[in-house]
Amino acid sequence: MSERAGLFEGTDGALRCRWCESTQIYRDYHDSEWGFPVTDDRRLFEKLCLEGFQAGLSWLTILNKREAFRLGFAQFEAERVARFGADDVARLLADAGIVRHRGKIESAINNAQRVLELREEFGSLAAYAWRFEPEAASRPKRITHEALRAMTTSAESIAMSKDLKKRGWSFVGPTTVYAFMQAMGLVNDHVEGCHARDKALKARAKLKLPR
Protein backbone atom coordinates (compact mmCIF):
# COMPACT_ATOMS: atom_id res chain seq x y z
CA MET A 1 0.00 0.00 0.00
CA SER A 2 1.20 3.54 -0.79
CA GLU A 3 2.99 5.45 1.97
CA ARG A 4 0.43 8.18 1.33
CA ALA A 5 -2.58 5.97 2.00
CA GLY A 6 -4.96 7.81 4.30
CA LEU A 7 -3.39 11.18 3.47
CA PHE A 8 -4.04 14.00 1.00
CA GLU A 9 -1.99 17.01 -0.02
CA GLY A 10 -3.63 20.36 0.60
CA THR A 11 -3.27 23.46 -1.56
CA ASP A 12 -0.65 24.62 0.96
CA GLY A 13 1.44 21.53 0.19
CA ALA A 14 0.88 19.97 3.64
CA LEU A 15 -0.11 16.33 4.01
CA ARG A 16 -3.19 15.74 6.16
CA CYS A 17 -5.34 12.80 7.26
CA ARG A 18 -7.76 12.12 4.43
CA TRP A 19 -10.88 12.25 6.62
CA CYS A 20 -10.64 16.05 6.83
CA GLU A 21 -10.37 16.67 3.10
CA SER A 22 -13.97 17.66 2.35
CA THR A 23 -14.29 21.12 3.92
CA GLN A 24 -12.19 23.92 5.41
CA ILE A 25 -13.91 23.65 8.80
CA TYR A 26 -12.87 20.00 8.92
CA ARG A 27 -9.27 20.86 7.98
CA ASP A 28 -9.08 23.61 10.61
CA TYR A 29 -10.42 21.21 13.25
CA HIS A 30 -7.89 18.59 12.19
CA ASP A 31 -4.97 21.03 12.21
CA SER A 32 -5.61 22.69 15.56
CA GLU A 33 -7.78 20.42 17.72
CA TRP A 34 -8.03 16.75 16.80
CA GLY A 35 -5.39 14.66 18.56
CA PHE A 36 -3.99 17.53 20.61
CA PRO A 37 -4.09 16.75 24.36
CA VAL A 38 -6.87 18.42 26.36
CA THR A 39 -7.14 18.71 30.14
CA ASP A 40 -9.88 21.34 30.31
CA ASP A 41 -13.01 19.85 31.89
CA ARG A 42 -15.40 21.94 29.83
CA ARG A 43 -13.90 20.78 26.55
CA LEU A 44 -13.74 17.16 27.69
CA PHE A 45 -17.38 17.20 28.75
CA GLU A 46 -18.38 18.94 25.52
CA LYS A 47 -16.65 16.28 23.44
CA LEU A 48 -18.24 13.40 25.34
CA CYS A 49 -21.65 15.00 24.83
CA LEU A 50 -21.12 15.73 21.15
CA GLU A 51 -19.80 12.25 20.47
CA GLY A 52 -23.06 10.98 21.95
CA PHE A 53 -25.05 13.27 19.66
CA GLN A 54 -23.00 12.06 16.70
CA ALA A 55 -24.25 8.47 17.03
CA GLY A 56 -25.73 7.61 13.63
CA LEU A 57 -24.44 10.85 12.07
CA SER A 58 -21.14 12.22 10.75
CA TRP A 59 -18.78 14.26 12.90
CA LEU A 60 -18.90 16.98 10.23
CA THR A 61 -22.65 17.34 10.86
CA ILE A 62 -21.96 17.88 14.57
CA LEU A 63 -19.00 20.17 13.96
CA ASN A 64 -21.15 22.42 11.78
CA LYS A 65 -23.66 22.63 14.64
CA ARG A 66 -21.12 22.97 17.45
CA GLU A 67 -21.68 26.68 18.12
CA ALA A 68 -25.44 26.13 18.34
CA PHE A 69 -24.84 23.24 20.74
CA ARG A 70 -22.62 25.47 22.88
CA LEU A 71 -25.32 28.14 23.04
CA GLY A 72 -28.02 25.61 23.86
CA PHE A 73 -26.00 23.75 26.47
CA ALA A 74 -24.58 26.70 28.45
CA GLN A 75 -21.13 26.33 26.85
CA PHE A 76 -21.07 22.80 28.29
CA GLU A 77 -20.40 24.00 31.82
CA ALA A 78 -21.31 20.81 33.65
CA GLU A 79 -22.61 22.62 36.76
CA ARG A 80 -25.13 24.55 34.68
CA VAL A 81 -26.18 21.66 32.44
CA ALA A 82 -26.69 19.46 35.52
CA ARG A 83 -29.45 21.85 36.63
CA PHE A 84 -31.37 21.67 33.33
CA GLY A 85 -34.99 20.59 33.75
CA ALA A 86 -38.08 19.86 31.66
CA ASP A 87 -38.26 23.43 30.31
CA ASP A 88 -34.70 23.16 29.04
CA VAL A 89 -35.42 19.83 27.36
CA ALA A 90 -38.41 21.41 25.62
CA ARG A 91 -36.29 24.42 24.61
CA LEU A 92 -33.61 22.19 23.13
CA LEU A 93 -36.12 20.02 21.29
CA ALA A 94 -37.33 23.20 19.58
CA ASP A 95 -33.80 24.34 18.64
CA ALA A 96 -33.28 23.67 14.93
CA GLY A 97 -29.58 24.45 15.28
CA ILE A 98 -28.80 21.23 17.12
CA VAL A 99 -29.68 17.54 16.80
CA ARG A 100 -33.15 17.36 18.32
CA HIS A 101 -33.15 13.92 19.90
CA ARG A 102 -34.82 13.68 23.29
CA GLY A 103 -32.78 10.70 24.44
CA LYS A 104 -29.47 12.36 23.60
CA ILE A 105 -30.51 15.67 25.19
CA GLU A 106 -31.56 13.93 28.39
CA SER A 107 -28.35 11.90 28.29
CA ALA A 108 -26.23 15.08 28.20
CA ILE A 109 -28.06 16.41 31.27
CA ASN A 110 -27.64 13.10 33.08
CA ASN A 111 -23.97 12.94 32.17
CA ALA A 112 -23.41 16.47 33.48
CA GLN A 113 -24.70 15.29 36.84
CA ARG A 114 -22.32 12.36 36.66
CA VAL A 115 -19.42 14.74 35.93
CA LEU A 116 -20.05 16.43 39.27
CA GLU A 117 -19.85 13.04 40.96
CA LEU A 118 -16.56 12.24 39.22
CA ARG A 119 -15.13 15.55 40.42
CA GLU A 120 -16.00 14.63 43.99
CA GLU A 121 -13.99 11.43 43.63
CA PHE A 122 -11.14 12.39 41.30
CA GLY A 123 -10.94 16.18 41.50
CA SER A 124 -11.74 16.73 37.84
CA LEU A 125 -13.10 15.00 34.77
CA ALA A 126 -9.63 15.39 33.28
CA ALA A 127 -7.96 13.50 36.13
CA TYR A 128 -10.47 10.69 35.63
CA ALA A 129 -10.22 10.52 31.82
CA TRP A 130 -6.43 10.58 31.61
CA ARG A 131 -6.25 7.50 33.83
CA PHE A 132 -7.26 5.63 30.68
CA GLU A 133 -4.44 6.88 28.45
CA PRO A 134 -2.96 3.76 26.81
CA GLU A 135 0.58 2.65 27.51
CA ALA A 136 2.83 3.25 24.53
CA ALA A 137 3.58 -0.47 24.26
CA SER A 138 -0.09 -1.24 23.63
CA ARG A 139 -0.26 1.04 20.59
CA PRO A 140 0.64 0.14 16.99
CA LYS A 141 4.28 0.86 16.17
CA ARG A 142 3.12 2.94 13.20
CA ILE A 143 -0.22 4.68 12.77
CA THR A 144 -1.13 3.80 9.21
CA HIS A 145 -4.37 3.88 7.28
CA GLU A 146 -4.64 0.11 7.63
CA ALA A 147 -3.96 0.21 11.37
CA LEU A 148 -6.70 2.80 11.92
CA ARG A 149 -9.25 0.84 9.87
CA ALA A 150 -8.77 -2.07 12.26
CA MET A 151 -8.88 0.06 15.41
CA THR A 152 -12.32 1.54 16.18
CA THR A 153 -12.03 0.64 19.86
CA SER A 154 -9.21 -0.25 22.23
CA ALA A 155 -8.84 -2.12 25.51
CA GLU A 156 -8.75 1.28 27.22
CA SER A 157 -11.86 2.65 25.51
CA ILE A 158 -13.71 -0.54 26.40
CA ALA A 159 -12.58 -0.22 30.03
CA MET A 160 -13.53 3.46 30.21
CA SER A 161 -16.90 2.82 28.58
CA LYS A 162 -17.65 0.02 31.01
CA ASP A 163 -16.64 2.15 33.99
CA LEU A 164 -18.68 5.17 32.87
CA LYS A 165 -21.75 3.01 32.36
CA LYS A 166 -21.34 1.56 35.86
CA ARG A 167 -21.33 5.16 37.09
CA GLY A 168 -24.62 5.89 35.34
CA TRP A 169 -23.42 7.56 32.12
CA SER A 170 -25.21 6.94 28.83
CA PHE A 171 -24.28 7.16 25.12
CA VAL A 172 -20.70 6.21 26.02
CA GLY A 173 -20.10 2.97 24.13
CA PRO A 174 -16.52 1.81 23.40
CA THR A 175 -16.48 3.28 19.87
CA THR A 176 -17.78 6.63 21.14
CA VAL A 177 -15.16 6.65 23.89
CA TYR A 178 -12.39 5.77 21.45
CA ALA A 179 -13.41 8.69 19.21
CA PHE A 180 -13.27 10.89 22.32
CA MET A 181 -9.76 9.61 23.08
CA GLN A 182 -8.64 10.34 19.51
CA ALA A 183 -10.02 13.87 19.56
CA MET A 184 -8.79 14.80 23.03
CA GLY A 185 -5.26 13.52 22.51
CA LEU A 186 -5.30 10.49 24.79
CA VAL A 187 -4.16 8.73 21.63
CA ASN A 188 -2.50 10.28 18.59
CA ASP A 189 -4.12 8.78 15.52
CA HIS A 190 -2.85 11.26 12.96
CA VAL A 191 -1.52 9.02 10.18
CA GLU A 192 2.25 8.79 9.77
CA GLY A 193 3.25 11.59 7.39
CA CYS A 194 0.44 13.94 8.46
CA HIS A 195 1.89 17.36 9.23
CA ALA A 196 -0.12 17.59 12.48
CA ARG A 197 1.19 14.33 13.94
CA ASP A 198 4.50 15.71 15.21
CA LYS A 199 2.80 18.84 16.56
CA ALA A 200 0.42 16.68 18.58
CA LEU A 201 3.30 14.52 19.84
CA LYS A 202 5.20 17.61 21.00
CA ALA A 203 2.10 18.95 22.75
CA ARG A 204 1.71 15.64 24.57
CA ALA A 205 5.38 15.66 25.61
CA LYS A 206 4.85 19.05 27.28
CA LEU A 207 1.60 18.08 28.97
CA LYS A 208 1.43 17.89 32.74
CA LEU A 209 -1.06 15.17 33.56
CA PRO A 210 -3.94 16.25 35.83
CA ARG A 211 -3.90 14.74 39.28
Side-chain angles (χ1 to χ4, degrees), residues 41 44-45 48 115 118-119 123-130 164 169:
D41 268 19
L44 293 167
F45 175 56
L48 280 168
V115 168
L118 281 180
R119 286 178 180 168
S124 67
L125 175 58
Y128 170 81
W130 279 91
L164 287 171
W169 290 61

Side-chain angles (χ1 to χ4, degrees), residues 22-71:
S22 60
T23 70
Q24 187 62 47
I25 189 174
Y26 235 2
R27 292 191 291 277
D28 291 344
Y29 172 74
H30 166 276
D31 287 0
S32 63
E33 294 188 54
W34 193 81
F36 289 78
V38 174
T39 57
D40 176 72
D41 268 19
R42 189 202 63 79
R43 286 188 60 196
L44 293 167
F45 175 56
E46 174 185 277
K47 184 60 176 172
L48 280 168
C49 287
L50 294 183
E51 285 294 343
F53 275 99
Q54 184 194 344
L57 304 168
S58 72
W59 176 243
L60 183 56
T61 296
I62 302 301
L63 192 59
N64 283 325
K65 294 176 178 288
R66 185 164 66 169
E67 290 307 317
F69 271 110
R70 286 172 173 170
L71 286 172

Side-chain angles (χ1 to χ4, degrees), residues 131-143 147-148 150-151 153-159 178 181 186-189 197:
R131 293 167 64 243
F132 293 93
E133 181 186 20
E135 295 288 339
S138 73
R139 299 278 293 152
K141 291 183 178 180
R142 286 177 55 80
I143 300 299
L148 289 180
M151 193 167 53
T153 66
S154 68
E156 294 81 10
S157 78
I158 293 169
Y178 191 70
M181 289 180 163
L186 280 80
V187 297
N188 182 351
D189 278 352
R197 179 170 177 78

Side-chain angles (χ1 to χ4, degrees), residues 175-195:
T175 302
T176 293
V177 171
Y178 191 70
F180 163 81
M181 289 180 163
Q182 289 177 307
M184 298 288 96
L186 280 80
V187 297
N188 182 351
D189 278 352
H190 285 282
V191 175
E192 300 285 347
C194 172
H195 83 98

Side-chain angles (χ1 to χ4, degrees), residues 68-84:
F69 271 110
R70 286 172 173 170
L71 286 172
F73 281 91
Q75 303 301 317
F76 290 98
E77 294 290 347
E79 297 90 342
R80 296 173 65 188
V81 178
R83 295 194 297 268
F84 280 13

